[in-house]
Amino acid sequence: MSETPPHPRPTPGLLLRGVEIFPGWLEPPAQAEMVEDLRAVVAAAPFFQPETRFGRKMSVRMTSAGRYGWVSDRRGYRYERRHPSGVAWPPIPASVLAVWEAITGLDRRPDCCLVNYYAEGAKMGMHQDRDEADFGWPVLSISLGDAARFRIGNIERGGATESVWLNSGDVLVMGGEARLVHHGIDRVRPGSSTLLKGGGRLNLTLRVVD
Ligand code: MD6
Ligand code: FE
């Protein structure tokens, strides 16, 4: 989507190093409905705790919906057609696809919805999302539950960074020039949202894989 998308797009409330943020895009009732839809995803494809390429357990728990799921183990980072248990990933909920359509203005649907769960103390190191075939497509994320500090760096590793707190219902898009910026989650603020019964934070990232 280096070209103009086929449908009009909303204006982001905040633009940080080319990363677009739509604060409060989802109202609390829509957030609660999405959490219910995600319960079905997790029932079919339970959370697992991936290892990095270097054999270190990640603190975030993950699962996916869609034609592909993102997995990480000693063999590296990649997309797979099946959950580690061998079952196919469940479909991406319509409530999630609707956010992608409204915000990206694209006709192409995402192939993967990666679901990350952050319990208290979980975080995610600075990384680029670069396992997809075509960086012309954006990556969109939806935050649900406890607030988290999202750090944005540069396309090259290192250098100065800036951070922003993401709250429940916020949507973020990394596309265009910002598609390959390094980013990560410093920390989650426990007890900052009542959306998830057991606390913690869910982050969904939607990607076009191939
Ligand atoms: C998170 N998000 O918010 C981690 N990646 O928990 C990501 O790693 C991310 O929010 C690509 C695009 C948007 C994102
Ligand atoms: Fe990412």
Side-chain angles (χ1 to χ4, degrees):
M1 90 148 204
S2 330
E3 326 88 71
T4 323
H7 307 287
R9 299 194 55 211
T11 306
L14 187 67
L15 196 60
L16 201 58
R17 301 190 172 201
V19 175
E20 302 173 344
I21 302 171
F22 300 83
W25 180 264
L26 291 174
E27 301 286 349
Q31 296 172 32
E33 279 170 40
M34 196 173 282
V35 170
E36 283 311 307
D37 293 342
L38 293 168
R39 275 186 213 294
V41 167
V42 173
F47 280 117
F48 54 96
Q49 198 173 5
E51 277 184 10
T52 67
R53 221 161 0 138
F54 314 107
R56 299 237 332 195
K57 281 266 184 220
M58 295 177 71
S59 58
V60 171
R61 285 187 279 158
M62 294 185 178
T63 190
S64 293
R67 296 169 52 228
Y68 287 101
W70 189 84
V71 299
S72 169
D73 57 25
R74 283 163 197 261
R75 287 163 53 208
Y77 311 128
R78 63 194 181 278
Y79 286 98
E80 291 276 7
R81 294 284 194 168
R82 289 177 182 276
H83 183 272
S85 69
V87 300
W89 306 102
I92 302 175
S95 58
V96 174
L97 291 174
V99 174
W100 169 274
E101 281 173 20
I103 291 201
T104 66
L106 295 168
D107 288 324
R108 176 73 142 93
R109 287 183 163 189
D111 300 313
C112 172
C113 172
L114 173 63
V115 183
N116 288 158
Y117 177 70
Y118 296 73
E120 192 168 344
K123 54 193 181 191
M124 185 172 296
M126 295 293 279
H127 66 276
Q128 290 172 299
D129 282 40
R130 52 177 310 151
D131 299 320
E132 301 75 30
D134 181 353
F135 303 136
W137 301 107
V139 179
L140 177 148
S141 92
I142 304 173
S143 292
L144 297 167
D146 284 339
R149 196 161 68 191
F150 186 84
R151 186 161 297 280
I152 304 173
N154 307 285
I155 292 179
E156 302 299 325
R157 284 189 63 184
T161 65
E162 288 176 87
S163 68
V164 59
W165 281 92
L166 295 179
N167 295 299
S168 196
D170 290 358
V171 174
L172 180 153
V173 177
M174 288 182 15
E177 297 291 294
R179 176 62 179 76
L180 289 173
V181 294
H182 283 80
H183 57 280
I185 294 289
D186 294 350
R187 64 190 190 91
V188 173
R189 186 184 281 157
S192 48
S193 161
T194 55
L195 180 68
L196 305 177
K197 274 146 211 143
R201 171 174 185 261
L202 284 170
N203 179 261
L204 315 180
T205 45
L206 299 170
R207 307 101 188 286
V208 173
V209 173
D210 63 7

